[in-house]
Amino acid sequence: MQERYQNLRIAEKGVILSMLAYIFLAALKVIVGQLADSATLIADGANNITDILSSLAIIYGLRLARRPPDEHHQYGHWKAETIATFATSLVMLATGGSVIYSSIKQMLTGQESTPGIYSLFVGIISAIIMLLIYFHNARLAKKIKSASLLAIAKDTRNDAWTSIGTSLTIIAANFKLPQIDNLVAMLIGGLILKTAYHILSDSAFALSDGFDDDLLDQYIAAVEKIPQVEKVHNIQGRTYGANIYVDIIIWVDPQMTVRESHHVTEKVESLLRRKFTVYDTDVHVEPWDVDYEPLQPNELNSH
């Protein structure tokens, strides 16, 4: 338990590092974008502003998730991290739509611009900083098994590619292709929307207690290799933040003693925790009967 709380603190430090970089780069891009008349650079800065908001929400969620269980939250506050991520995705959707709207408006009104070539260096510097932070946070996230920090790291990598695209656009615009500036600004807006959609769908899936069926199949296959387990009768999984909770019903030899069956449950819990980093497992034991046939739904209703 304490190790998990400590990992949340480490993850928070990684997010803070990204946020500080976003604050610096967003201000630099917006200011230089205005001076250089670059819609692409301004759009890139707007993308970083949404990243600042995302980082703040994640930091708040990580801090709230560290609160211990209480009377009203007996499973802890782990889902606060997911709720913060969900709220962040809504902000990103609004920002991405605003960037695309502004770019289309400029194209329809015939507004064209040739960004100052000095704005190119801002894009290059931004890409380098973002890539360095991505490698740092990605390595840290894998070490502490933090899904939220890994998501932030991947978003940072996307920002690096966006900055590279911004730099190429500025070069093209200075070769008398100014409309490309607005086109790439639209692409950046699309990237923001795409990222927001994936974050929104993943967080909504987790909040509705959705769980990956492939993982459940892996759990079943591993548990059924335990000699005393005759068969996995039922299994369910859910997530609370980055923590996985599993409810599983196993069939064992009906002649097994209570002590022996309890020993089997400990094996199941240890296996899932060690091999799949399952945070908590609730194992229910039932006697195995080869002639047993579970009641069908219509039979259950008739009883």
Side-chain angles (χ1 to χ4, degrees), residues 176-193:
K176 308 305 178 184
L177 297 171
Q179 200 59 258
I180 289 182
D181 193 38
N182 285 321
L183 288 173
V184 174
M186 289 179 60
L187 291 177
I188 292 175
L191 177 63
I192 297 174
L193 290 178

Side-chain angles (χ1 to χ4, degrees), residues 25 43 55 82-84 100 163-164 174 189 202 212 263 265 269:
L25 293 175
S55 299
T82 309
I83 294 173
I100 292 177
S163 295
I164 292 173
N174 278 272
D202 289 345
D212 188 349
H263 184 59
T265 65
E269 293 171 0

